[in-house]
Amino acid sequence: FGGGCFWCIEAFFEEVNGVNNVRSGYSGGKKNNPTYKEVVSGKTGHAEVCEISYNSNIISLKTLLEIFFTSHDPTTLNRQGNDIGTQYRSVIYYHNKEQQLIAVKSKEEANKSNYWEDEIVTEITALNNYTDAEDYHNDYYNNNPNQPYCLFVIRPKLNKLIKDGVISK
């Protein structure tokens, strides 16, 4: 999933029961094995993403997608808050046809929900050119809770998702 800065997506999904692992990375770009500095330049075509490993006996892909759609603004093209550029686009990368169909249906249902005023612009595409992010990006929020981005961007969003019952801590 890509929905803005991968530090946010990671912090949200790490709190979800049934999620085994969340790994930050880059996908969808032209360059093989890009660095963070290259991706944030916006010149590689990659999105910041999180690979979510989960136990399907505890949580479904459909539920993960519902969390994804409510955890960011999927109606803004190439932007989440002050994070602007194609690297911050809302995107779902799938591994197989079944995941693709579930993602498309989830997006259609999210659009019909009227949760957002505008149309959802989330891209749904096959996983391509994925690279793990540098190690320091993983578990970023938990390792850096007092870093300004964590305090002023991630924590309020995380608290809202917990308060609204989207995720439980």
Side-chain angles (χ1 to χ4, degrees):
F1 296 137
C5 175
F6 49 28
W7 297 340
C8 291
I9 296 293
E10 177 192 55
F12 307 151
F13 280 98
E14 283 184 337
E15 299 299 326
V16 175
N17 185 34
V19 170
N20 300 327
N21 190 44
V22 182
R23 178 116 183 115
S24 295
Y26 317 111
S27 190
K30 305 172 289 264
K31 184 176 184 347
N32 290 330
N33 303 310
T35 65
Y36 179 69
K37 187 175 181 178
E38 291 170 325
V39 172
V40 298
S41 76
K43 296 177 182 174
T44 69
H46 287 81
E48 289 190 13
V49 298
C50 284
E51 176 185 56
I52 314 291
S53 300
Y54 64 99
N55 182 334
S56 60
N57 292 319
I58 298 173
I59 192 164
S60 67
L61 176 57
K62 182 180 185 295
T63 300
L64 292 172
L65 287 161
E66 289 168 1
I67 294 167
F68 168 74
F69 279 117
T70 57
S71 68
H72 75 295
D73 183 351
T75 68
T76 56
L77 186 62
N78 303 327
R79 179 183 190 148
Q80 289 298 307
N82 289 328
D83 294 328
I84 301 169
T86 58
Q87 66 272 29
Y88 302 115
R89 65 188 176 271
S90 178
V91 59
I92 299 166
Y93 288 103
Y94 59 85
H95 294 268
N96 56 49
K97 190 72 169 171
E98 179 184 11
Q99 288 180 346
Q100 178 189 21
L101 294 173
I102 293 168
V104 168
K105 185 173 181 182
S106 180
K107 179 179 173 180
E108 290 169 355
E109 289 173 358
N111 257 325
K112 289 178 189 173
S113 75
N114 294 320
Y115 187 82
W116 302 272
E117 289 182 26
D118 298 319
E119 190 79 10
I120 292 173
V121 297
T122 302
E123 175 186 330
I124 299 172
T125 191
L127 183 67
N128 64 80
N129 204 8
Y130 174 84
T131 301
D132 284 335
E134 297 82 353
D135 285 341
Y136 73 91
H137 291 294
N138 290 294
D139 210 22
Y140 192 86
Y141 176 75
N142 289 327
N143 290 330
N144 302 279
N146 296 316
Q147 192 263 11
Y149 191 89
C150 295
L151 280 173
F152 300 113
V153 177
I154 299 173
R155 186 172 295 161
K157 289 180 183 182
L158 183 59
N159 288 341
K160 182 179 184 330
L161 290 170
I162 292 168
K163 180 180 173 246
D164 292 350
V166 174
I167 58 177
S168 59
K169 188 161 178 148

